[in-house]
Amino acid sequence: MNEITIHLKSLIEQKDWKNLKNQIHELSPLQISEIIEEMSKSDGILLFRLLSRQYAKETFENLSHDTQEEIINGLAQNGTKITSLLNDLEPDDRTAFFEELPGKVVQPLMQLLSEHERKIAGQLLAYPEDSVGRLMTPEYVAVKSYYTVNQALDHIRKYGHDSETLNIIYVVDDQWNLIDDIRIKEIILASPEQKISEITDNKFTALNVFDDQENAVKIFLDQDRVAMPVIDNEGTLVGIVTFDDMMDVAEEESTEDFQKFGSIKEAIVNPLKAKVSTLYKNRVVWLTALVFVNIFSGAAISNFEDVIQSAVSLVFFLPLLIGSGGNAGSQSATLMIRALATGDVVIKDWFKLIGKELIVSLILGLTMAAGVALIASFRAPEIILVVSLTMVLTVITGSLIGLILPFIFTKFKVDPATASAPLITSISDITGVLIYFSIASVYLGI
Amino acid sequence: MNEITIHLKSLIEQKDWKNLKNQIHELSPLQISEIIEEMSKSDGILLFRLLSRQYAKETFENLSHDTQEEIINGLAQNGTKITSLLNDLEPDDRTAFFEELPGKVVQPLMQLLSEHERKIAGQLLAYPEDSVGRLMTPEYVAVKSYYTVNQALDHIRKYGHDSETLNIIYVVDDQWNLIDDIRIKEIILASPEQKISEITDNKFTALNVFDDQENAVKIFLDQDRVAMPVIDNEGTLVGIVTFDDMMDVAEEESTEDFQKFGSIKEAIVNPLKAKVSTLYKNRVVWLTALVFVNIFSGAAISNFEDVIQSAVSLVFFLPLLIGSGGNAGSQSATLMIRALATGDVVIKDWFKLIGKELIVSLILGLTMAAGVALIASFRAPEIILVVSLTMVLTVITGSLIGLILPFIFTKFKVDPATASAPLITSISDITGVLIYFSIASVYLGI
């Protein structure tokens, strides 16, 4: 706990509300949110109650979802505060908040919103989860193409106060169909009498409300945009999404992919705050599933009992050989999963990639074989050929498993990151055992 | 290759330059860059030569670094074109481009820049790699606090044309020290006679030129900013960084972490375009290193030859038991690495996290032990106790290894993602083998 938090806690203990209220308003909303996260639930709620309206809104947006829920529950005894808070949040932040809450909590909270606000939240919530519709905010400024620059600026002054961003102004026709998006820079730099139609080029990229958020992130990254317009299937402008929401989506997606690759079922943003039961639930699934994959390795090994007993030195090289296959597979899998996620590789590239992987893994396998041959020359010269040949083959098969599995998952609409390191390793173990002992039994004539 | 590319290639073959030039300018710079990436080197350079100045600049920024280098080499016979291209690039994009080039190529290219542009590039290049200084652009607009809103708007109209973003205007004093940053929205919405000092609150967050880019990303994510000012140690405004560069850094960092966790040495953005030698180099290092870790597992197993021979059914459970330890370790490692990267967990939290991990992994271990006991009851009832106890202990030790290793790496200033799944698995294998056969030898009295 840092100094400020300790100081504020002492003010709470002294019930010195006046100083407390003054001092927290000298901090930034971000700092306050960090302090609330550190404090006990009841102290946090108390501090939050003291915040001014604008501060409350900004602090709330910076809190974790768990803490947001605690605050809402804590404020529930105080109808006015909760209503003003919910009404003050930006529509897209409010939607994100509602999404995390159980349905039975959402409905009463929706009742607290003003009719106007409820309509917006309702509209936003009607779109499928992970769609652009869920992220968009209707708070933008649109002008008509027949406005002059001066009229447009007047319009912006009049209607811009509620708008989340004024960096981009949208040009629509009388049916509210999107015609263009122009940077505020262009309006400011134009002469006041020019018509908006003179500074538009009618070139714009818009997202569809039903677009997947992950794809939207790729488009944002490609186009370096601050905000993008969202249109429905008729071409009508229904909202905008802003880069800050996109950065959040990008971060969430990366966390999800990364943790899936470590065989965690659903993304856990903050392990420090996650409940033990959540951690357990999201880990036990794959751990158990993988036991059944590993049974096959065990069965394969037991099957070769006579080979093992006739040349026990084979066992010394077992972890090293099957491990190398799994490691090579983990490498090719991370390369593929990440490249599929960023869009650098698409599903139709897989044939080309297999060709390349065969070459790379063959060279890798030969290098590793030279290494293991060197070790064998000291430890068990009689099986140099067996371990070297096995090394080449397990590295190649491991690499190919790691490459192919993410594509198969993608093909069947499963997240490619499901091809986790543990899954690749477990599968490579089976093929590794079979390759190793088959070669050994042929070579040793058993 | 898509239809447009094929069509453009046929125009090149027909030497129909006029139509080619017209048709490419109907595409967006992003589309053209994708087409160039698909084409042969010589066709790509030819197409690029035909682009108008503005198009050339935007297309160039969208190309991969490899292709950028090819284009520059191809244009080298044509001094004028290359000079105008380099001069047109935004300073931060140019710095990023120069950084990827070998030093002996950079110097002659720098000569092609105008004196003004060279000064900027030189300034930017003097900051350490991965510092904010490398990302910043000096193209912003600053106003004085004693300006009226009208004067400020005039100033913006006059000096704003070169500015990368006009979404945020900076307020400086006569020594160019940063006083505040205000959104263009606030200037537009203010009345024209107001003084700038009336709409500033003197609250701003600035980055230092020497700040690490990774930390800057965290601040951007926290604050949802379009651009942030960059100051030197004296508080002088030296440049700004924009969100699009930050999104690129965030994506690069994620790729790097993800691939490191799969034991790839250095990030490979696009495996489709990477050279075989690059892929080989970045994979062979860890593959070889891990062989030496795996030797210990092999040695441990060989050490227990007599135990194995007296109860061969032990071998059946070996992959399953040591595999589960490694898998649990991969899980806790991904959780830690990602949380350390996003800043949700910091190094001083590790003690708290160990306590929590002990509880979670104990419950996980008990669940898994129940599963393996069930399997053993069919396969080898005489060792139920050995395999169950081993399962609990390997899951706990594996989990702790996965948790602790990223912290140890962080402590020694090594990227925590170096605690890759293969590394965790290999280390857990050793401890797993030792635990399993030690328990077995005690229990079986060997």
Side-chain angles (χ1 to χ4, degrees):
Chain A
M1 219 177 274
N2 70 39
E3 267 176 52
I4 308 174
T5 313
I6 293 166
H7 173 68
L8 293 178
K9 268 188 77 79
S10 77
L11 288 179
I12 292 177
E13 276 159 28
Q14 296 157 31
K15 300 201 197 308
D16 185 353
W17 310 128
K18 202 174 143 233
N19 267 321
L20 189 60
K21 189 163 184 168
N22 285 338
Q23 291 182 17
I24 49 177
H25 285 90
E26 279 162 23
L27 303 169
S28 72
L30 183 67
Q31 286 175 302
I32 301 172
S33 68
E34 280 162 3
I35 290 166
I36 291 179
E37 299 280 0
E38 279 191 332
M39 281 185 161
S40 71
K41 194 176 136 179
S42 57
D43 283 354
I45 293 169
L46 207 149
L47 207 67
F48 191 84
R49 272 177 196 278
L50 292 175
L51 293 174
S52 70
R53 194 159 164 162
Q54 181 62 21
Y55 257 66
K57 163 184 177 288
E58 288 176 23
T59 304
F60 191 80
E61 287 169 359
N62 281 313
L63 292 171
S64 70
H65 281 292
D66 288 352
T67 316
Q68 284 183 339
E69 217 178 313
E70 281 173 15
I71 297 276
I72 288 289
N73 287 332
L75 294 179
Q77 296 115 310
N78 184 339
T80 329
K81 188 98 187 178
I82 201 173
T83 312
S84 71
L85 172 65
L86 285 173
N87 277 309
D88 282 350
L89 287 177
E90 306 289 345
D92 48 349
D93 287 321
R94 189 164 45 220
T95 310
F97 167 66
F98 277 142
E99 255 181 42
E100 298 277 324
L101 290 178
K104 63 172 183 184
V105 182
V106 173
Q107 282 316 314
L109 281 178
M110 288 281 274
Q111 299 309 319
L112 293 172
L113 297 175
S114 71
E115 200 192 317
H116 172 66
E117 298 283 344
R118 191 160 59 237
K119 218 174 129 194
I120 293 174
Q123 273 175 4
L124 293 176
L125 283 166
Y127 297 108
E129 213 177 325
D130 297 326
S131 74
V132 166
R134 287 296 185 96
L135 279 183
M136 69 184 181
T137 166
E139 298 183 340
Y140 57 84
V141 175
V143 298
K144 304 288 164 68
S145 58
Y146 50 77
Y147 285 8
T148 63
V149 165
N150 237 347
Q151 282 177 313
L153 279 170
D154 279 346
H155 184 87
I156 294 166
R157 286 207 186 90
K158 198 163 166 196
Y159 296 103
H161 285 280
D162 267 351
S163 162
E164 183 160 321
T165 172
L166 276 186
N167 303 323
I168 299 178
I169 304 295
Y170 299 91
V171 186
V172 293
D173 65 14
D174 288 328
Q175 279 73 49
W176 216 258
N177 289 322
L178 184 62
I179 301 175
D180 203 354
D181 53 352
I182 44 180
R183 295 212 248 171
I184 189 86
K185 171 173 168 172
E186 294 168 73
I187 296 182
I188 297 173
L189 297 178
S191 72
E193 299 74 30
Q194 267 188 299
K195 280 241 156 57
I196 291 295
S197 55
E198 292 173 54
I199 56 172
T200 55
D201 61 359
N202 297 340
K203 279 184 191 165
F204 62 88
T205 313
L207 302 170
N208 185 287
V209 272
F210 291 105
D211 279 351
D212 191 73
Q213 291 176 5
E214 223 175 318
N215 284 329
V217 170
K218 284 178 201 163
I219 297 171
F220 255 82
L221 274 172
D222 271 348
Q223 311 238 338
D224 290 347
R225 304 296 289 276
V226 177
M228 283 187 88
V230 182
I231 55 175
D232 64 14
N233 292 333
E234 278 76 45
T236 310
L237 179 62
V238 289
I240 60 167
V241 284
T242 49
F243 81 98
D244 52 319
D245 293 319
M246 282 294 129
M247 280 186 87
D248 291 343
V249 171
E251 200 187 48
E252 257 175 58
E253 295 290 342
S254 290
T255 299
E256 203 182 294
D257 278 0
F258 192 70
Q259 294 185 355
K260 269 220 177 109
F261 187 68
S263 74
I264 306 272
K265 195 164 148 270
E266 272 169 30
I268 294 165
V269 174
N270 192 337
L272 200 59
K273 287 193 187 148
K275 289 187 198 130
V276 168
S277 61
T278 311
L279 287 167
Y280 174 77
K281 252 187 349 211
N282 285 305
R283 292 176 62 172
V284 77
V285 184
W286 270 108
L287 276 190
T288 318
L290 289 167
V291 163
F292 293 95
V293 184
N294 281 319
I295 287 178
F296 288 97
S297 306
I301 297 179
S302 326
N303 224 23
F304 288 103
E305 260 169 37
D306 42 350
V307 183
I308 296 172
Q309 267 166 342
S310 70
V312 199
S313 58
L314 286 171
V315 177
F316 176 84
F317 292 94
L318 183 65
L320 195 157
L321 291 168
I322 64 177
S324 298
N327 296 344
S330 298
Q331 290 182 331
S332 54
T334 38
L335 288 177
M336 289 311 123
I337 293 167
R338 186 65 191 163
L340 283 164
T342 55
D344 283 307
V345 155
V346 290
I347 201 159
K348 71 174 163 61
D349 293 327
W350 86 313
F351 205 74
K352 251 186 275 176
L353 285 161
I354 287 183
K356 198 166 194 176
E357 187 64 29
L358 268 173
I359 300 168
V360 175
S361 61
L362 174 65
I363 310 176
L364 283 172
L366 290 171
T367 315
M368 306 286 291
V372 80
L374 187 71
I375 299 168
S377 67
F378 294 108
R379 187 67 171 68
E382 70 281 8
I383 51 170
I384 282 187
L385 217 67
V386 177
V387 294
S388 312
L389 187 57
T390 305
M391 183 60 102
V392 178
L393 292 176
T394 50
V395 168
I396 294 176
T397 48
S399 296
L400 290 180
I401 291 168
L403 181 131
I404 293 169
L405 224 50
F407 281 100
I408 294 180
F409 282 127
T410 309
K411 188 85 196 165
F412 289 99
K413 309 250 178 259
V414 178
D415 188 336
T418 310
S420 64
L423 181 61
I424 304 278
T425 307
S426 302
I427 298 178
S428 302
D429 279 355
I430 307 174
T431 56
V433 166
L434 293 176
I435 292 170
Y436 187 30
F437 292 123
S438 303
I439 293 175
S441 70
V442 171
Y443 183 78
L444 303 171
I446 301 158
Chain B
M1 220 177 273
N2 70 39
E3 268 176 52
I4 308 174
T5 313
I6 293 166
H7 173 67
L8 293 179
K9 267 187 78 78
S10 76
L11 288 180
I12 292 177
E13 277 158 28
Q14 297 158 30
K15 300 202 198 306
D16 185 352
W17 309 128
K18 204 176 141 229
N19 268 321
L20 188 60
K21 188 163 184 168
N22 285 337
Q23 291 183 17
I24 50 178
H25 285 90
E26 279 163 22
L27 304 168
S28 73
L30 182 68
Q31 285 175 301
I32 301 172
S33 67
E34 280 162 3
I35 290 166
I36 291 178
E37 298 280 0
E38 280 190 331
M39 282 185 161
S40 71
K41 194 176 136 178
S42 57
D43 283 354
I45 293 169
L46 207 148
L47 207 66
F48 191 83
R49 271 177 197 278
L50 292 175
L51 294 175
S52 71
R53 195 160 164 160
Q54 181 62 20
Y55 256 66
K57 163 184 178 288
E58 288 176 23
T59 304
F60 190 79
E61 286 170 0
N62 281 313
L63 293 171
S64 71
H65 281 291
D66 288 353
T67 316
Q68 285 183 339
E69 218 178 312
E70 282 173 15
I71 297 276
I72 288 288
N73 287 332
L75 294 178
Q77 296 117 309
N78 184 339
T80 329
K81 187 98 187 179
I82 202 172
T83 311
S84 70
L85 173 65
L86 285 173
N87 277 308
D88 282 351
L89 287 177
E90 306 289 344
D92 48 349
D93 287 321
R94 189 165 45 221
T95 309
F97 166 66
F98 277 141
E99 255 181 42
E100 299 277 324
L101 290 178
K104 61 172 184 183
V105 182
V106 171
Q107 282 315 315
L109 281 178
M110 288 280 273
Q111 299 309 319
L112 293 171
L113 297 174
S114 72
E115 200 193 316
H116 172 66
E117 297 283 343
R118 192 161 59 238
K119 218 174 130 193
I120 293 174
Q123 273 177 5
L124 292 175
L125 283 166
Y127 298 108
E129 214 177 323
D130 298 325
S131 75
V132 167
R134 287 296 184 99
L135 279 184
M136 70 185 181
T137 165
E139 299 183 340
Y140 56 84
V141 175
V143 297
K144 304 287 164 68
S145 59
Y146 49 78
Y147 285 8
T148 63
V149 166
N150 237 348
Q151 281 176 313
L153 280 170
D154 279 345
H155 184 87
I156 294 166
R157 285 206 187 90
K158 198 163 165 198
Y159 296 103
H161 286 280
D162 267 350
S163 162
E164 184 160 322
T165 172
L166 276 187
N167 304 322
I168 299 178
I169 304 295
Y170 300 89
V171 186
V172 291
D173 64 15
D174 288 327
Q175 279 73 50
W176 217 258
N177 289 321
L178 183 62
I179 301 175
D180 203 355
D181 54 353
I182 44 179
R183 295 214 247 170
I184 189 85
K185 171 173 169 173
E186 293 168 73
I187 297 183
I188 296 173
L189 296 178
S191 71
E193 299 75 29
Q194 266 188 299
K195 279 240 157 59
I196 291 295
S197 55
E198 291 173 56
I199 57 171
T200 55
D201 61 359
N202 297 340
K203 280 184 191 166
F204 62 88
T205 314
L207 302 170
N208 185 287
V209 273
F210 293 106
D211 279 352
D212 191 74
Q213 292 176 5
E214 223 175 320
N215 284 329
V217 170
K218 284 178 201 164
I219 297 171
F220 255 82
L221 274 172
D222 271 348
Q223 310 238 338
D224 291 346
R225 304 296 289 277
V226 177
M228 284 188 86
V230 182
I231 55 175
D232 64 14
N233 292 333
E234 279 76 44
T236 310
L237 179 62
V238 288
I240 61 167
V241 284
T242 50
F243 81 99
D244 52 319
D245 293 319
M246 282 293 129
M247 281 186 86
D248 291 343
V249 171
E251 201 188 48
E252 258 174 57
E253 294 290 342
S254 290
T255 298
E256 204 182 293
D257 278 0
F258 193 70
Q259 295 184 354
K260 270 219 176 109
F261 187 69
S263 74
I264 306 272
K265 195 165 148 270
E266 272 169 31
I268 294 166
V269 174
N270 191 338
L272 200 59
K273 288 191 187 149
K275 290 189 197 130
V276 168
S277 61
T278 312
L279 286 168
Y280 173 78
K281 252 187 349 213
N282 285 305
R283 291 176 62 172
V284 76
V285 184
W286 270 108
L287 276 190
T288 319
L290 288 167
V291 163
F292 293 94
V293 183
N294 282 318
I295 288 179
F296 287 97
S297 305
I301 297 179
S302 327
N303 224 23
F304 288 104
E305 260 170 36
D306 43 349
V307 183
I308 296 172
Q309 267 166 340
S310 71
V312 198
S313 58
L314 285 171
V315 177
F316 176 84
F317 292 93
L318 182 65
L320 196 157
L321 291 168
I322 64 177
S324 299
N327 296 343
S330 297
Q331 290 182 330
S332 54
T334 39
L335 288 176
M336 289 311 122
I337 293 167
R338 186 64 191 164
L340 283 165
T342 56
D344 283 307
V345 155
V346 290
I347 201 159
K348 71 175 164 61
D349 292 327
W350 86 314
F351 205 74
K352 252 186 274 176
L353 285 162
I354 286 182
K356 197 166 194 176
E357 186 64 28
L358 267 173
I359 300 169
V360 175
S361 62
L362 175 64
I363 310 176
L364 283 172
L366 290 172
T367 316
M368 307 284 292
V372 80
L374 187 72
I375 300 168
S377 68
F378 294 107
R379 186 67 171 67
E382 71 282 6
I383 51 169
I384 282 187
L385 216 67
V386 177
V387 293
S388 313
L389 187 57
T390 305
M391 184 60 101
V392 178
L393 293 177
T394 50
V395 168
I396 294 176
T397 47
S399 297
L400 290 181
I401 291 168
L403 182 131
I404 293 168
L405 225 50
F407 281 100
I408 293 179
F409 282 126
T410 309
K411 189 84 197 165
F412 289 98
K413 309 251 180 261
V414 177
D415 189 336
T418 310
S420 64
L423 181 61
I424 305 277
T425 307
S426 303
I427 297 179
S428 301
D429 280 355
I430 307 174
T431 57
V433 166
L434 291 176
I435 292 170
Y436 186 31
F437 292 122
S438 302
I439 292 175
S441 70
V442 170
Y443 182 79
L444 303 172
I446 300 157

